[in-house]
Amino acid sequence: MGMGGMGWGGGGGGGWGGRAELRELAKGQTFDLPIARRAIAAFRPYRWRALATAGMIFVSSALGTLPPLLTGVYIVQHGILARHLHVVFLYTAVLVAVALASGLIGVLQNWYSNMIGQAVMADFRQRLFEHIHGQPLRYFTDNQSGQLVSRVTNDVNAIQTVVTSTLVSVVSNVLVLVTTAGIMFALNWKLTVVALLVVPAFVAPTQRVGRLRQNLQRQIQMALARMTAQLTETFGVSGALLVKAFAREKFEFGRFRENNQEVRRLNVQSSLIGRWLFMWLGLFGSLGPAILYAVGGYLYIHHAISIGIILAFVGYLGRLYSPISQIAQLHVNVLTSLALFRRIFEILDRTPEIQDGTEVVDAASVRGHVALEDVSFRYAPDLPLALNRVTLEMEPGRLVALVGPSGAGKTTLMSMISRYHDPSEGRVLLDGRDIRRLRLESLRGVIGLVPQEPFLFHDTLLTNLLYARPEASRAEVEAACRAAQIHDVIEAMPQGYDTVVGERGYRLSGGEKQRVAIARVLLRAPRIVLLDEATSSLDTLSERRIQAALEHLLEGRTALVIAHRLSTVLAADRIAVVDHGAIVGVGRHQDLLAAGGLYARIYREQFETPLAAAAPAD
C-alpha cells in the first residue's frame, strides 16, 4: 500500500523514521497462531466471568430466534390472516416480553464483557510498566521516553476493540448463526439453501482487506508513538526551554504538523480501505431477500409454503447475514489486532540484562566494604571498553574520590556498585559477597545516590522527600532537611513543605535542588553514599551550604564521590585517578601530587592557572 507523498522528516536523508521503515515493519503480516494463543491466554484469570458472559450470549441468541417466528407464523399467519384477534394480542405481548428480556440480558452482557476487557487491558498496562522498569538503565538511554509511553498507552488502548468486543462477537455470532440456520432448516430446507447461496460472496474478499488493514494499523501505532515522543520531549520543562532558547518553535510546529498529518492520513486510509468490502456485503445483503421473495413467491403460488413462513424467513435473513458479515469483519479486526499484540509482546519478551539475585541484604549488618575486582565493561559489543580491568577498594566509613577528565569512565564505575550495569568481566563485592547474588531491592536499599542533576517529581516537597522513605515522620523529614541546610528555605516558602516544586523541580534553584536531594538521601540513612558531585556549576555561597550538608551526609558512611573540583576532595581518605576507563593512580592528595602524572596536571590546571576552568562533569 503506497504511503503517498508525505514523509516524516522533510527533505534530505534524515527524518524521523520514514515510509521505508514503516513498510519494512509492515511486511509479511499474517495470522500468527502463537500470538493469538498468548492474547487469548490473557483472559484466563477472568474465565468464570467469561463463562457467565457466554451463558448470557447463549440465552440472548436463543431469544433472538423467536421474533421472526412469532411475527411471521403466529401473529401474521395464525393471527391476522386467520382473523384471531386474541392470538395477535397474545403473541404481540410475548414479542414485547422477548424484546425486553433480550435488552436486559444485552445490557448485562455488555457490562460483563467490558469489565473483562478493561481488566485485561489494565493487566497489559501493568505488565508493560513493570517490565519496562525492570530493564537496565541502558534501555532507557537507548529508547525515547515518548516511544515507551506510547507502547503502554496507545498500543494497549488500540487493542480495546478486540479485547472488549471481538471475542464476545465471535461467540455471539457463531451462536446466532447456528441457532438461526437450525430453525430455518426446520421451517423449510429449500428456502434455507437459497438463502445460503450468497454466503461465499461475504467471505471471499476479506483476506486481502484484513492484511491491508493490519499493515496500516501497525503504521498508525508507529506514527502515534513518534507523535507522543515529540509531545513528551517538547512539553517537558527542559525541552520547552531548549525550543524557546533557540527560537525553534516554527521547526517544532512543522515537525508536529507532519506527524499529525501522517496520523490523519493513515487513519483515513484505514477507515476507507474496508468500505468497498462492506459495500459488497451490503449489496449481497439486499440481493438475498430479493431472491428469497422470488423463490418463496413461486412456492407460495404453487401452495408449497405459507405466507407466514416467507415472512419469517425474511426476518431470519438479517440474523443469518448479519453474523456472517460480522464474522467477516472480525477476521479483519483480528488480523489488525495481531500487529498490536506483537508490539506489546516484543517488550514483554525482552529479557532484562540485569537479573535479580536471591539473597537479601540485612541493612543493619552491612559494614559497607565495597570492592571492584578486575572489572571491565563495554556498553555494546562494537564499542571500546568503558572500564578496563578496574580494581578499587572502599573501606567501611571511608571517603573515596574519583577524579579524571570528562569521559574517563567515572560515572560508569560508580554505576557498577548499584548494578545499573553489570561488569562484562570481573565482579563487584559488598562485604565480600558478589552483588549479583543479592536482591536488587535490598542492595539498593543500603545505597544512597545524589546525582549531579537531581530529579524531583511535579509534586510537593514533602512528597519528594518521602519518596526515599514513605514511612518517615514529619519530625524525621525536618531533621534531615536541617542537616541538609534546606529547612529554613522550605519554611520561608508560602506553602512550606506543601510547596509544589514544578516539573523536575524547576521552581527551585540548582543549589536548593541539590540540598533537597541530599536531605532525601539523609532520610533514607544508607550505609553507602554515591555522590556525583554537583558543586562545580554553583556559586560560592551555594557550594558552601552544600558542603556543610555533605558533611552530615558522609559522616560515618562509606562514600564514593566523583569530584569535578579537586578542592572538594583534598581531604578524601583515598583518591582514584581514572583515565580511559582505567585507574592510573590511587592515593592521598599529597602522594598523588608528588607523583606527578595526570592528577598533578589536573591540580595545576585548577589551582595554578588563573583562568583555568573547572573540569566538566561526566
Coordinates of all heavy atoms in Angstrom, one line a residue, residues 267-310:
N267 N -5.1 7.1 9.3 CA -6.4 6.7 9.8 C -7.5 6.8 8.8 O -8.4 6.0 8.8 CB -6.8 7.7 11.0 CG -6.2 7.1 12.3 OD1 -6.5 6.0 12.7 ND2 -5.4 7.9 13.0
V268 N -7.5 7.9 7.9 CA -8.5 7.9 6.9 C -8.3 6.8 5.9 O -9.3 6.1 5.5 CB -8.3 9.3 6.1 CG1 -9.2 9.3 4.8 CG2 -8.7 10.5 7.0
Q269 N -7.1 6.5 5.6 CA -6.8 5.3 4.7 C -7.3 4.0 5.3 O -7.9 3.2 4.6 CB -5.3 5.2 4.4 CG -5.0 4.3 3.3 CD -3.5 4.4 2.9 OE1 -2.8 5.3 3.4 NE2 -3.0 3.5 2.1
S270 N -7.1 3.9 6.6 CA -7.6 2.6 7.3 C -9.1 2.6 7.3 O -9.7 1.5 7.1 CB -7.0 2.6 8.7 OG -7.5 1.5 9.4
S271 N -9.7 3.7 7.5 CA -11.2 3.7 7.6 C -11.9 3.4 6.2 O -13.0 2.9 6.2 CB -11.7 5.0 8.2 OG -11.4 6.1 7.3
L272 N -11.2 3.8 5.2 CA -11.7 3.7 3.8 C -11.4 2.3 3.2 O -12.1 1.9 2.3 CB -11.2 4.8 2.9 CG -11.7 6.2 3.2 CD1 -11.1 7.2 2.3 CD2 -13.2 6.3 3.1
I273 N -10.4 1.7 3.7 CA -9.9 0.5 3.0 C -10.9 -0.6 3.0 O -10.9 -1.5 2.1 CB -8.5 0.0 3.5 CG1 -7.8 -0.9 2.5 CG2 -8.7 -0.7 4.9 CD1 -6.4 -1.2 2.9
G274 N -11.8 -0.7 4.0 CA -12.8 -1.7 4.0 C -14.1 -1.4 3.5 O -15.0 -2.2 3.5
R275 N -14.2 -0.1 3.1 CA -15.5 0.4 2.6 C -16.0 -0.4 1.4 O -17.2 -0.7 1.3 CB -15.5 1.9 2.3 CG -15.3 2.8 3.5 CD -16.4 2.6 4.5 NE -15.9 1.7 5.6 CZ -16.7 1.2 6.5 NH1 -18.0 1.5 6.5 NH2 -16.3 0.4 7.5
W276 N -15.1 -0.7 0.4 CA -15.5 -1.4 -0.8 C -16.0 -2.8 -0.4 O -17.0 -3.3 -0.9 CB -14.4 -1.5 -1.8 CG -14.0 -0.2 -2.4 CD1 -12.9 0.5 -2.1 CD2 -14.8 0.5 -3.3 NE1 -12.9 1.7 -2.8 CE2 -14.0 1.7 -3.6 CE3 -16.0 0.3 -4.0 CZ2 -14.5 2.7 -4.5 CZ3 -16.4 1.2 -4.9 CH2 -15.7 2.4 -5.2
L277 N -15.3 -3.4 0.6 CA -15.8 -4.7 1.1 C -17.2 -4.7 1.6 O -18.1 -5.5 1.3 CB -14.8 -5.3 2.1 CG -15.3 -6.5 2.9 CD1 -15.4 -7.7 2.0 CD2 -14.3 -6.8 4.0
F278 N -17.4 -3.7 2.5 CA -18.7 -3.6 3.2 C -19.8 -3.2 2.2 O -21.0 -3.5 2.4 CB -18.6 -2.6 4.4 CG -17.6 -3.1 5.4 CD1 -16.7 -2.1 5.9 CD2 -17.4 -4.4 5.7 CE1 -15.7 -2.5 6.8 CE2 -16.4 -4.8 6.6 CZ -15.6 -3.9 7.2
M279 N -19.4 -2.4 1.2 CA -20.4 -2.1 0.1 C -20.8 -3.4 -0.6 O -22.0 -3.6 -0.9 CB -19.8 -1.1 -0.9 CG -20.8 -0.7 -1.9 SD -20.1 0.2 -3.3 CE -19.3 -1.2 -4.2
W280 N -19.8 -4.2 -0.8 CA -20.1 -5.5 -1.5 C -21.0 -6.4 -0.6 O -21.9 -7.0 -1.1 CB -18.7 -6.2 -1.7 CG -18.8 -7.6 -2.3 CD1 -18.8 -8.8 -1.6 CD2 -18.9 -8.0 -3.7 NE1 -18.9 -9.8 -2.5 CE2 -18.9 -9.4 -3.8 CE3 -18.9 -7.2 -4.9 CZ2 -19.0 -10.0 -5.0 CZ3 -18.9 -7.9 -6.1 CH2 -19.0 -9.3 -6.1
L281 N -20.7 -6.4 0.7 CA -21.5 -7.2 1.6 C -22.9 -6.6 1.7 O -23.9 -7.4 1.7 CB -20.9 -7.2 3.0 CG -19.5 -7.8 3.2 CD1 -19.0 -7.7 4.6 CD2 -19.5 -9.2 2.7
G282 N -23.1 -5.3 1.7 CA -24.4 -4.7 1.7 C -25.2 -5.0 0.4 O -26.4 -5.3 0.5
L283 N -24.5 -5.1 -0.7 CA -25.2 -5.5 -2.0 C -25.8 -6.9 -1.9 O -26.9 -7.1 -2.2 CB -24.2 -5.4 -3.1 CG -24.7 -5.9 -4.5 CD1 -25.8 -5.1 -5.0 CD2 -23.5 -5.9 -5.5
F284 N -25.0 -7.8 -1.4 CA -25.5 -9.2 -1.3 C -26.5 -9.3 -0.1 O -27.3 -10.2 -0.1 CB -24.3 -10.2 -1.1 CG -23.7 -10.5 -2.4 CD1 -22.7 -9.7 -3.0 CD2 -24.1 -11.6 -3.2 CE1 -22.1 -10.0 -4.2 CE2 -23.6 -11.9 -4.4 CZ -22.5 -11.1 -4.9
G285 N -26.4 -8.4 0.8 CA -27.4 -8.4 1.9 C -28.8 -8.0 1.4 O -29.8 -8.4 1.9
S286 N -28.8 -7.2 0.3 CA -30.1 -6.8 -0.3 C -30.5 -7.9 -1.4 O -31.7 -8.1 -1.6 CB -29.9 -5.5 -1.0 OG -29.6 -4.5 0.0
L287 N -29.5 -8.5 -2.0 CA -29.8 -9.5 -3.0 C -30.5 -10.7 -2.4 O -31.4 -11.3 -3.0 CB -28.5 -9.9 -3.8 CG -28.7 -10.8 -4.9 CD1 -29.5 -10.2 -6.0 CD2 -27.3 -11.1 -5.5
G288 N -30.1 -11.1 -1.2 CA -30.7 -12.3 -0.6 C -32.2 -12.2 -0.4 O -32.9 -13.1 -0.8
P289 N -32.7 -11.1 0.2 CA -34.2 -11.1 0.3 C -34.9 -11.1 -1.0 O -36.0 -11.6 -1.1 CB -34.4 -9.7 1.1 CG -33.1 -9.5 1.8 CD -32.0 -10.1 1.0
A290 N -34.3 -10.4 -2.0 CA -34.9 -10.4 -3.3 C -35.1 -11.8 -3.9 O -36.1 -12.2 -4.4 CB -34.1 -9.5 -4.3
I291 N -34.0 -12.6 -3.8 CA -34.0 -14.0 -4.3 C -35.0 -14.8 -3.4 O -35.8 -15.6 -4.0 CB -32.6 -14.6 -4.2 CG1 -31.7 -13.9 -5.1 CG2 -32.7 -16.1 -4.5 CD1 -30.2 -14.4 -5.0
L292 N -35.1 -14.5 -2.1 CA -36.0 -15.2 -1.3 C -37.4 -14.9 -1.6 O -38.3 -15.8 -1.6 CB -35.7 -14.9 0.2 CG -36.4 -15.7 1.3 CD1 -35.9 -17.2 1.2 CD2 -36.1 -15.2 2.6
Y293 N -37.7 -13.7 -1.9 CA -39.1 -13.3 -2.2 C -39.5 -14.0 -3.5 O -40.6 -14.5 -3.7 CB -39.2 -11.8 -2.4 CG -39.5 -11.1 -1.1 CD1 -38.7 -10.0 -0.6 CD2 -40.6 -11.4 -0.3 CE1 -38.9 -9.4 0.5 CE2 -40.8 -10.8 0.9 CZ -40.0 -9.8 1.3 OH -40.2 -9.1 2.5
A294 N -38.6 -14.0 -4.5 CA -38.9 -14.6 -5.8 C -39.1 -16.1 -5.6 O -40.1 -16.7 -6.1 CB -37.7 -14.4 -6.8
V295 N -38.2 -16.8 -4.9 CA -38.4 -18.3 -4.8 C -39.6 -18.6 -3.9 O -40.4 -19.5 -4.1 CB -37.1 -18.9 -4.2 CG1 -37.3 -20.4 -3.9 CG2 -36.0 -18.7 -5.2
G296 N -39.7 -17.8 -2.8 CA -40.8 -18.0 -1.8 C -42.1 -17.7 -2.5 O -43.1 -18.4 -2.2
G297 N -42.2 -16.7 -3.3 CA -43.4 -16.4 -4.0 C -43.8 -17.5 -5.0 O -45.0 -17.9 -5.0
Y298 N -42.8 -18.0 -5.6 CA -43.1 -19.2 -6.5 C -43.7 -20.4 -5.7 O -44.7 -21.0 -6.1 CB -41.9 -19.6 -7.2 CG -42.0 -20.8 -8.1 CD1 -42.5 -20.8 -9.4 CD2 -41.6 -22.1 -7.6 CE1 -42.6 -21.9 -10.2 CE2 -41.7 -23.2 -8.4 CZ -42.3 -23.1 -9.6 OH -42.4 -24.3 -10.4
L299 N -43.1 -20.7 -4.6 CA -43.5 -21.8 -3.8 C -44.9 -21.5 -3.2 O -45.8 -22.4 -3.1 CB -42.5 -22.1 -2.7 CG -41.2 -22.6 -3.1 CD1 -40.2 -22.7 -1.9 CD2 -41.3 -24.0 -3.8
Y300 N -45.2 -20.3 -2.8 CA -46.5 -19.9 -2.2 C -47.6 -20.1 -3.3 O -48.7 -20.6 -3.0 CB -46.5 -18.5 -1.7 CG -47.8 -18.0 -1.2 CD1 -48.3 -18.5 0.0 CD2 -48.6 -17.1 -1.9 CE1 -49.5 -18.1 0.5 CE2 -49.8 -16.7 -1.4 CZ -50.3 -17.2 -0.2 OH -51.5 -16.7 0.2
I301 N -47.3 -19.5 -4.5 CA -48.3 -19.6 -5.6 C -48.6 -21.1 -5.9 O -49.7 -21.4 -6.2 CB -47.8 -18.9 -6.8 CG1 -47.7 -17.4 -6.5 CG2 -48.6 -19.2 -8.0 CD1 -47.0 -16.5 -7.6
H302 N -47.6 -21.9 -5.8 CA -47.9 -23.4 -6.0 C -48.2 -24.1 -4.7 O -48.1 -25.3 -4.7 CB -46.6 -24.0 -6.7 CG -46.4 -23.5 -8.1 ND1 -45.8 -22.3 -8.4 CD2 -46.7 -24.2 -9.3 CE1 -45.8 -22.2 -9.7 NE2 -46.3 -23.3 -10.3
H303 N -48.6 -23.4 -3.7 CA -49.2 -24.0 -2.5 C -48.1 -24.9 -1.8 O -48.5 -25.8 -1.1 CB -50.5 -24.8 -2.7 CG -51.5 -24.0 -3.5 ND1 -52.2 -22.9 -2.9 CD2 -51.9 -24.0 -4.8 CE1 -53.0 -22.4 -3.8 NE2 -52.8 -23.0 -5.0
A304 N -46.9 -24.6 -1.9 CA -45.8 -25.4 -1.3 C -45.3 -24.8 0.0 O -44.6 -25.4 0.8 CB -44.6 -25.6 -2.2
I305 N -45.8 -23.6 0.3 CA -45.3 -22.9 1.5 C -46.4 -21.8 1.9 O -47.1 -21.3 1.1 CB -44.0 -22.2 1.3 CG1 -43.3 -21.8 2.6 CG2 -44.1 -21.0 0.4 CD1 -41.8 -21.3 2.4
S306 N -46.4 -21.5 3.2 CA -47.4 -20.4 3.7 C -46.7 -19.1 3.6 O -45.5 -18.9 3.7 CB -47.8 -20.7 5.1 OG -46.8 -20.6 6.0
I307 N -47.5 -18.0 3.6 CA -47.0 -16.7 3.6 C -46.3 -16.3 4.9 O -45.3 -15.6 4.9 CB -48.2 -15.7 3.3 CG1 -47.6 -14.3 3.0 CG2 -49.1 -15.5 4.6 CD1 -46.9 -14.3 1.6
G308 N -46.7 -17.0 6.0 CA -46.1 -16.7 7.3 C -44.6 -17.2 7.3 O -43.7 -16.6 7.9
I309 N -44.4 -18.4 6.7 CA -43.0 -18.9 6.6 C -42.1 -18.0 5.8 O -40.9 -17.7 6.1 CB -43.0 -20.3 6.0 CG1 -43.8 -21.3 6.8 CG2 -41.6 -20.8 5.7 CD1 -43.1 -21.5 8.2
I310 N -42.7 -17.4 4.7 CA -41.9 -16.5 3.9 C -41.5 -15.3 4.7 O -40.3 -14.8 4.7 CB -42.7 -16.0 2.6 CG1 -42.9 -17.2 1.7 CG2 -41.9 -14.9 1.9 CD1 -43.8 -16.9 0.5

